Amino acid sequence: MDSTSKKLANICKADRISDLPDSLLIAILALLPIETAVRTCILSKRWRPLCESLPNLEFSDYRNPGRHFTDFVDRFLMRRPNDLKIAKFRLDCYRGDYYRDRVNEWIMNALGRDLKEIDLLFRFQTCINWSKNFFNMCTSVEVLLLSGKISVEIPENVPLPRLRVLGFNNVTISSYESVGKLLLNCPVLEDLKIVDCEWLTGNSLSICGPVLKRLSCCLISYDEVLRTLIDTPRLENLKIGCYTGGDNDILFKLNLPFLKIAEIDICAHEMGQGVDWVFGLLKQINHVKILTLSDNTVEILSLADDDDDRYEFPPFHNLTELVINVLDYFDETLLDDFLQNSPNLESLVFPQSLVCIDESFRCSWGGSQSRVPECLSAHLKTVYIKNFAGYDEELAFVKYLLAYGSALRNVSIEISNLSKDDEAWQELLNLQSESTTCKLSLIDENGTCSL
Amino acid sequence: MKKLKFIGNPLLQSREKINMSSDKKWLTLKTTEDNEEFVVEESVAIMSNVIKNMVEDGCASSVIPVPRVKGNAMGKIIEFCKKHTEESDEKVLKEFDAEFLNLGPDALYDLMVSANFLEIKVLLDSVTTKVADMIKGKSSEEIRNILKIENDLSAEEIEESRRENCWTRQE
């Protein structure tokens, strides 16, 4: 091509993007954080009005709180053509304290536009009420997430026919009973989160979800007598966190036949409490594939009397991944129990540590174990140990794994607070070079290490 | 002379052999702008909702005419659809997409328009994301340069916009 033709071609090629239809340009803008999207307003006449049609509005004042932020949100919502819908509205008030009236106006405006998803987070002092007015405007809402300084008052009989995801995180809720009633009006709810909330009154929490798949329920209040009943026949993913002791244990109405993943965090006020209940819970969920136990739960199980027949370990036939958090108390026989009863275990993870602080609970591996667990000889592929400190018992366990783990592919050990001169380091390095079928990864603060 | 492009087994020489082969169904797509023909497996072609509807309605007899899409763009689109039908590994697909979309803005726009017209959601989403990534976090001037947008606003209009959006100004 000669130079004139090239120039012509270049001129014709200029600004091709503005030829695309509005819908495609808006689709591009919708993928950008709003700060970037808005910068296209000064590019050309074509681009100027596009931002006003963005379907998803996410505002966060993290970088620039204050008057400019409120003016920006004001203009964005108010200047939008009245009939133009908003699909998603997210407001994260991180640092500023805003006038309640103004915030209420923003929410009303957004809710009035056939909104599908609303996510509000007030970290500062701005405290809004989420009550009848707002609830009644949620007939089109599919996702409702409220976090922080929000005071939730649930009215009677509020219909939420499209709600699939509901989250109350750190908010203040007027009564336990009102939540139960609300859930009865959510026929398609799949995902429910009630975490670390403050409650003003009540003593009975009823969680009913005929199609609920994921439930995360963390109740930090322990000085009330609270009865919790969970009726979720189709649950697949469960996370519960609460205190135990006495009357306030959580009851599951039916077994959970579809449960695949469970994370359990039960904390006892006094030592020895909660054993019955935690064992009962394990028996109800023994068909899960992935199980995570917090250090509190592990402590309760460790303090159980081994000789007591009530505490017979249930079989975990489907368990492929087990995550055990260890802090104050960890009875090694508990680990042996789990291994012996989980024939199909493939992955074992210790995110905090392998041994507990209390020395009297540690025991040696290799000698006292009755027989090699089936999972170890056939299925266990990966083991991850964090905060390895070089204790004899830890080394013994690693040697045990390497000696009997026929299917073992990878053992990863994160080492902290251990000097390289320590004997334990040398032992680990030796094990690393000796093991042929299984890769032993040693990771210190600087990265992976080997001989 | 018509160019016949086979996106499939290179050993097969003629359309007759293809039609006789086992259980796979084949379609011929012809770009009406430049008369290029492409023989593709039906399972690949129906990644386009438009073609899928035609096949289901029984309109797709021998050759499906495809307007508005040029031959070389069609070739690339088929390459994309084929990969996405064959491969199920997310990681491999991600790498493929990154390499595939390593194009200049003009080529990307062409792809967008075609994917939009043919209603191939996976491709459209990939290209849209790529273009968005190119301008994420950039200043107005940088965006203008990357996307080659011509300025036709007056100085007052620009100033007004800047004032309204001062919250987003990069400090």
Side-chain angles (χ1 to χ4, degrees):
Chain A
M1 237 201 270
D2 68 5
S3 64
T4 343
S5 318
K6 256 194 200 160
K7 277 195 191 143
L8 271 173
N10 279 337
I11 291 169
C12 296
K13 274 191 174 182
D15 203 355
R16 297 267 320 285
I17 191 173
S18 301
D19 289 339
L20 294 178
D22 273 4
S23 56
L24 290 186
L25 294 181
I26 292 173
I28 298 171
L29 293 180
L31 294 172
L32 299 168
I34 211 164
E35 297 94 16
T36 309
V38 151
R39 285 186 203 126
T40 62
C41 287
I42 62 163
L43 290 180
S44 75
K45 283 194 163 65
R46 176 78 209 291
W47 285 80
R48 205 168 176 216
L50 293 177
C51 284
E52 288 160 24
S53 309
L54 283 175
N56 299 337
L57 299 177
E58 298 190 26
F59 301 103
S60 164
D61 73 350
Y62 180 68
R63 281 192 329 147
N64 301 341
R67 204 203 79 215
H68 288 314
F69 175 71
T70 48
D71 286 346
F72 182 73
V73 178
D74 254 351
R75 224 203 71 243
F76 231 97
L77 283 178
M78 304 316 178
R79 199 155 100 169
R80 196 181 182 88
N82 278 336
D83 57 343
L84 203 56
K85 300 181 188 177
I86 299 179
K88 176 176 171 178
F89 180 67
R90 181 167 199 269
L91 188 59
D92 182 347
C93 289
Y94 207 100
R95 291 159 63 181
D97 188 8
Y98 303 101
Y99 287 117
R100 193 187 293 200
D101 288 341
R102 209 149 188 201
V103 170
N104 284 335
E105 257 180 52
W106 294 339
I107 298 172
M108 288 279 255
N109 189 313
L111 281 174
R113 295 178 188 265
D114 205 24
L115 197 62
K116 289 207 170 46
E117 200 173 314
I118 181 161
D119 183 354
L120 304 176
L121 172 45
F122 294 102
R123 306 172 198 250
F124 212 79
Q125 284 154 18
T126 315
C127 183
I128 62 151
N129 287 341
W130 188 278
S131 53
K132 201 169 177 181
N133 288 345
F134 290 148
F135 268 117
N136 284 334
M137 291 175 81
C138 289
T139 41
S140 62
V141 173
E142 297 175 22
V143 177
L144 173 61
L145 303 171
L146 303 175
S147 312
K149 301 268 183 287
I150 302 176
S151 180
V152 180
E153 265 175 54
I154 306 171
E156 301 265 337
N157 294 325
V158 51
L160 295 166
R162 299 240 168 85
L163 198 65
R164 286 183 296 107
V165 179
L166 176 61
F168 294 133
N169 188 344
N170 254 292
V171 298
T172 305
I173 306 181
S174 51
S175 82
Y176 286 110
E177 286 79 3
S178 65
V179 169
K181 289 184 195 162
L182 177 71
L183 293 174
L184 293 176
N185 286 324
C186 303
V188 299
L189 196 67
E190 289 178 5
D191 197 317
L192 175 63
K193 233 182 175 144
I194 301 178
V195 173
D196 295 349
C197 295
E198 215 180 285
W199 307 81
L200 299 180
T201 60
N203 54 24
S204 164
L205 176 61
S206 167
I207 297 179
C208 265
V211 295
L212 201 67
K213 289 201 180 115
R214 283 170 298 279
L215 173 62
S216 181
C217 183
C218 293
L219 305 167
I220 52 172
S221 314
Y222 54 80
D223 51 1
E224 299 139 14
V225 175
L226 173 68
R227 291 219 152 60
T228 312
L229 181 65
I230 299 181
D231 181 4
T232 52
R234 303 200 75 85
L235 204 67
E236 295 173 13
N237 195 322
L238 171 68
K239 179 172 174 183
I240 50 170
C242 64
Y243 283 86
T244 182
D247 296 326
N248 58 354
D249 294 337
I250 297 178
L251 286 173
F252 287 90
K253 187 166 178 190
L254 299 163
N255 284 330
L256 304 166
F258 298 101
L259 197 67
K260 295 206 171 39
I261 304 175
E263 188 176 330
I264 316 283
D265 182 7
I266 317 284
C267 190
H269 292 307
E270 293 163 24
M271 277 175 53
Q273 271 185 334
V275 189
D276 278 349
W277 183 50
V278 175
F279 261 98
L281 184 58
L282 285 183
K283 287 195 178 102
Q284 264 190 301
I285 63 168
N286 69 331
H287 48 285
V288 292
K289 293 182 81 169
I290 301 176
L291 179 63
T292 301
L293 302 174
S294 72
D295 47 59
N296 294 317
T297 318
V298 166
E299 181 176 321
I300 293 178
L301 290 169
S302 297
L303 294 171
D305 189 351
D306 289 332
D307 298 327
D308 195 325
D309 284 334
R310 284 177 299 170
Y311 307 140
E312 200 196 301
F313 223 79
F316 287 90
H317 289 303
N318 299 332
L319 198 64
T320 55
E321 180 170 317
L322 177 60
V323 181
I324 300 184
N325 284 284
V326 174
L327 192 61
D328 292 333
Y329 296 104
F330 180 38
D331 188 346
E332 304 283 345
T333 59
L334 178 66
L335 182 55
D336 187 45
D337 277 335
F338 261 115
L339 292 176
Q340 299 285 0
N341 284 288
S342 312
N344 295 306
L345 195 67
E346 293 176 11
S347 163
L348 186 56
V349 181
F350 298 93
Q352 289 175 242
S353 170
L354 179 51
V355 290
C356 62
I357 296 173
D358 188 325
E359 285 182 20
S360 62
F361 271 88
R362 307 201 203 120
C363 66
S364 265
W365 281 87
S368 53
Q369 276 61 42
S370 36
R371 63 179 201 284
V372 175
E374 189 186 328
C375 66
L376 195 52
S377 43
H379 293 110
L380 193 65
K381 292 193 180 65
T382 63
V383 178
Y384 194 97
I385 301 171
K386 242 185 130 168
N387 287 326
F388 189 90
Y391 292 116
D392 290 339
E393 294 85 0
E394 288 174 306
L395 278 168
F397 184 63
V398 175
K399 285 185 195 159
Y400 177 72
L401 286 174
L402 291 172
Y404 294 103
S406 318
L408 212 52
R409 294 270 163 279
N410 200 325
V411 175
S412 296
I413 303 179
E414 265 186 43
I415 302 156
S416 55
N417 291 332
L418 195 65
S419 143
K420 285 272 163 70
D421 302 326
D422 201 294
E423 239 180 69
W425 252 116
Q426 200 50 51
E427 282 221 53
L428 281 175
L429 290 169
N430 285 338
L431 284 171
Q432 190 184 48
S433 55
E434 280 167 14
S435 95
T436 44
T437 50
C438 171
K439 182 173 173 212
L440 182 59
S441 306
L442 305 173
I443 309 155
D444 70 0
E445 304 88 43
N446 304 323
T448 44
C449 312
S450 49
L451 258 172
Chain B
M1 176 141 172
K2 271 197 251 177
K3 280 186 278 182
L4 199 67
K5 284 212 178 77
F6 290 98
I7 316 290
N9 191 331
L11 293 178
L12 292 173
Q13 295 301 311
S14 71
R15 211 180 302 164
E16 288 78 39
K17 276 194 188 163
I18 291 170
N19 281 338
M20 285 196 300
S21 73
S22 58
D23 39 326
K24 286 190 192 164
K25 275 195 73 185
W26 299 81
L27 297 173
T28 305
L29 306 174
K30 178 169 163 180
T31 54
T32 53
E33 279 209 11
D34 48 13
N35 282 331
E36 279 195 38
E37 288 194 5
F38 300 86
V39 182
V40 254
E41 282 181 45
E42 187 181 282
S43 55
V44 171
I46 58 172
M47 270 189 80
S48 152
N49 225 17
V50 167
I51 295 181
K52 181 163 181 260
N53 288 337
M54 286 175 78
V55 169
E56 278 170 4
D57 290 343
C59 310
S61 46
S62 46
V63 177
I64 300 181
V66 182
R68 288 169 65 175
V69 181
K70 292 220 179 65
N72 51 6
M74 192 74 225
K76 280 223 96 173
I77 291 172
I78 293 174
E79 189 193 327
F80 181 91
C81 292
K82 191 162 190 293
K83 188 72 180 181
H84 276 254
T85 332
E86 289 170 349
E87 187 64 63
S88 53
D89 189 330
E90 291 280 340
K91 211 173 152 216
V92 174
L93 280 177
K94 239 183 154 174
E95 281 176 21
F96 170 81
D97 285 358
E99 182 62 43
F100 182 85
L101 294 173
N102 197 8
L103 305 163
D106 288 340
L108 286 174
Y109 306 149
D110 279 337
L111 221 48
M112 262 183 99
V113 170
S114 304
N116 187 39
F117 172 69
L118 290 169
E119 293 177 34
I120 308 174
K121 187 170 189 312
V122 179
L123 178 57
L124 186 58
D125 287 347
S126 295
V127 185
T128 317
T129 309
K130 167 84 189 188
V131 176
D133 285 344
M134 278 161 57
I135 59 176
K136 201 176 274 195
K138 300 274 195 289
S139 73
S140 309
E141 277 316 300
E142 287 169 321
I143 297 175
R144 180 194 297 292
N145 289 332
I146 294 169
L147 299 182
K148 297 194 236 171
I149 297 174
E150 266 179 42
N151 186 5
D152 59 353
L153 289 170
S154 68
E156 297 95 46
E157 285 170 316
I158 294 181
E159 190 46 47
E160 198 189 324
S161 273
R162 272 203 211 279
R163 249 186 298 117
E164 286 171 340
N165 299 327
C166 62
W167 170 70
T168 67
R169 223 185 305 194
Q170 281 160 317
E171 299 303 346

